[in-house]
Amino acid sequence: MAQAEKLTPERVFADPDLSGPIARGVKVSPDGSAVTYLRAKADDQRMTDLWIADVKGGAPHLLIDARALAPRDKVLSEAEKSRRERQGVQTRGVVDYAWDDQGRFILVPVEGDLFLYTVKGGRIAQLTQTPGDEIDAKVSPKGSFVSFVRDDNLFVMPAGGGADRALTTGGEELKSWATAEFIAQEEMSRSTGYWWSPDETRIALTFVDQTGVDVVERLDVNAVGATIVRQRYPRVGRPNAKVDLYVADVATGARTKVDLGEEVDIYLARVTWAKDGKTLYVQRQSRDQRRLDILAVDPATGAAKVILTETSPHWVDITDDFKPLKDGSFLWSSERSGNRHLYLHKADGALVRQVTQGEWPVDVLEGVDEARGVAIFGASKDSPVERRIYEVSYKAPAEPKALTSGGGWWRADVAQSGKAFAATYQDPRTPPQTGFHKADGTRVRWIEENRLVAGHPYHPFAERLREASFGTIKAADGQDLWWSMRTPPGFDPAKRHPVIVQVYGGPAGALVSKTWRSPEDQLLLEAG
């Protein structure tokens, strides 16, 4: 350890990233033949490019060079700046992208303009070049159209190129079409305000009226000082934004209003189309968030009926676990048992069966293999400080089968078919590593191995890397509360040391996990 280099603040914030070439925004192509991901530039960890790896082998290669496409000195709109901040985006260049459901195109927003990559032939075309920003861009399910929001209105254009067409008009900052309001973005992880039907004939979209929301002053602090920003902010007990939902005909623009019920002070939590496009499912939550209704909507008339309700005397959490199946049934997660578990329901909401059970919670329903009748999910089943990927039959439920190893933290992106997945693993001594796996969990190939060996940016400092120890203390009600502790290099337990305690008291934000820690933490340890 005495021979190892000591981290300095200058090196922690310099390039390349000390954590190595991490694959971010990992997605499996719809046909399962390739994995795409974002990777920071070696000379600028704040700029990310789009990379692709063929699952059959060969070195991953650069697909879209952000520096070649990003306009110089482009200033993003306040709406896009806010959207990125709420999504936790801290880079520039290619920060997001989307496949169409057919796997023919990749839509790439770059600093406010849109580019379309055609897989066959490997061509990239710029679709927009306007003073404003095209935000929340999507490729329609069959790949015929590209859609986006500009100046608070929804636009569509042919994917093959051509003029864009406004599907809505009259939108403005306080009365906007197809956008997610502050609460939806910040607190409910809903960053979009529109949803394509599977056959591309309709789009469900929101209309958000913020005129009744209070204006609150806040400080915006940055490296050069602070400025006062006046923001529409829905304070406790004061008016929220009013959100309506419509179904628009893509060909004509004609709109049908969805009946969300008599109570207008509600949250529009999630919107999902049935696989056949004949039903629109809407999750409606009461303002006190103790009731969540799933509505089945007739998109032709806007008529709605409640098919499932979740209630709690305290809080009903929102998830992305609603998964419609081809036969009309759907998978759903609920905390009604005291832990979040998966359930199978008929199209009318009637319960078919509970799929998972036990004194542990499902974290996320990652994907579905309908051919095998299997749900793929992530969970901290054996320990709350570790996370693995599992599968379970929803037709004949049994003990879930682990698809990944224990000892650390796994995240996955499951192919559309459910027959393969890309997974990223990390633990306290292993920076994030991404591989492509068969349905049974067998790794087919590395996407970004990111091994902490000679040549890795962190290797010169690795011998001084301090791993955490883990343990529990008992809460007043008998629950185990988990802690982790890291000590300085050369730690002497006989001496007293200053301590920094890091706590996050909010929901769904546990800090204690067997993950790779930020190199910034090591600076505090090096300081004793």
Side-chain angles (χ1 to χ4, degrees), residues 140-437:
S140 61
K142 293 185 177 182
S144 303
F145 301 96
V146 168
S147 54
F148 54 86
V149 175
R150 184 173 64 216
D151 298 330
D152 300 300
N153 284 295
L154 181 62
F155 291 78
V156 296
M157 65 187 305
D164 56 44
R165 172 169 57 93
L167 205 60
T168 67
T169 58
E172 57 185 59
E173 181 183 1
L174 297 183
K175 293 184 176 182
S176 58
W177 286 102
T179 58
E181 73 279 14
F182 173 84
I183 286 290
Q185 293 185 44
E186 181 73 13
E187 304 297 347
M188 296 184 166
S189 300
R190 176 170 69 78
S191 58
T192 188
Y194 73 98
W195 302 265
W196 279 95
S197 67
D199 63 2
E200 301 183 338
T201 63
R202 295 181 171 118
I203 296 178
L205 72 163
T206 59
F207 179 71
V208 178
D209 184 349
Q210 298 187 78
T211 53
V213 179
D214 293 341
V215 176
V216 176
E217 292 185 345
R218 65 171 174 84
L219 280 177
D220 188 7
V221 184
N222 56 43
V224 297
T227 56
I228 293 177
V229 177
R230 291 172 58 82
Q231 176 184 331
R232 296 276 172 170
Y233 185 82
R235 293 181 291 175
V236 174
R238 297 290 297 152
N240 270 338
K242 185 177 182 296
V243 182
D244 292 317
L245 184 67
Y246 292 81
V247 177
D249 184 288
V250 175
T252 66
R255 291 191 294 270
T256 300
K257 189 174 183 179
V258 172
D259 181 6
L260 294 179
E262 295 182 2
E263 177 58 64
V264 297
D265 194 11
I266 52 98
Y267 295 117
L268 182 70
R270 296 289 186 270
V271 177
T272 311
W273 285 92
K275 286 289 185 75
D276 61 7
K278 295 179 180 179
T279 304
L280 182 69
Y281 295 104
V282 177
Q283 295 181 40
R284 176 187 68 191
Q285 191 171 44
S286 60
R287 179 153 182 183
D288 64 10
Q289 296 185 262
R290 296 175 182 177
R291 179 186 179 96
L292 179 71
D293 297 315
I294 298 180
L295 310 179
V297 177
D298 180 350
T301 66
K305 62 179 179 180
V306 177
I307 61 170
L308 183 64
T309 297
E310 297 283 351
T311 60
S312 167
H314 312 292
W315 183 274
V316 178
D317 206 1
I318 298 169
T319 73
D320 292 310
D321 293 341
F322 182 87
K323 299 289 184 184
L325 304 176
K326 291 177 182 177
D327 64 2
S329 62
F330 59 87
L331 287 167
W332 172 247
S333 69
S334 168
E335 295 181 334
R336 66 188 70 153
S337 70
N339 283 291
R340 180 180 296 156
H341 281 296
L342 300 178
Y343 297 80
L344 179 66
H345 291 262
K346 293 180 181 179
D348 62 2
L351 177 65
V352 177
R353 66 181 62 94
Q354 184 170 347
V355 178
T356 62
Q357 56 187 318
E359 289 300 313
W360 52 272
V362 168
D363 183 24
V364 174
L365 178 57
E366 307 275 13
V368 176
D369 182 347
E370 293 201 52
R372 293 189 296 139
V374 166
I376 300 103
F377 64 93
S380 298
K381 183 174 179 293
D382 301 320
S383 164
V385 298
E386 299 179 13
R387 189 183 193 273
R388 300 169 76 177
I389 308 301
Y390 296 85
E391 72 170 25
V392 65
S393 170
Y394 55 80
K395 293 182 177 179
E399 182 68 14
K401 174 188 173 184
L403 302 177
T404 57
S405 60
W409 202 267
W410 289 88
R411 290 285 182 189
D413 182 81
V414 179
Q416 204 171 74
S417 66
K419 298 187 184 306
F421 60 92
T424 299
Y425 173 80
Q426 57 180 306
D427 64 38
R429 289 206 69 85
T430 308
Q433 298 179 309
T434 301
F436 182 77
H437 298 249

Side-chain angles (χ1 to χ4, degrees), residues 69-89:
L69 300 181
R72 292 185 179 182
D73 304 321
K74 174 70 181 283
V75 178
L76 295 174
S77 66
E78 290 303 317
E80 178 62 0
K81 287 179 183 177
S82 297
R83 188 168 179 272
R84 292 189 182 190
E85 190 274 332
R86 290 165 195 159
Q87 291 178 326
V89 175

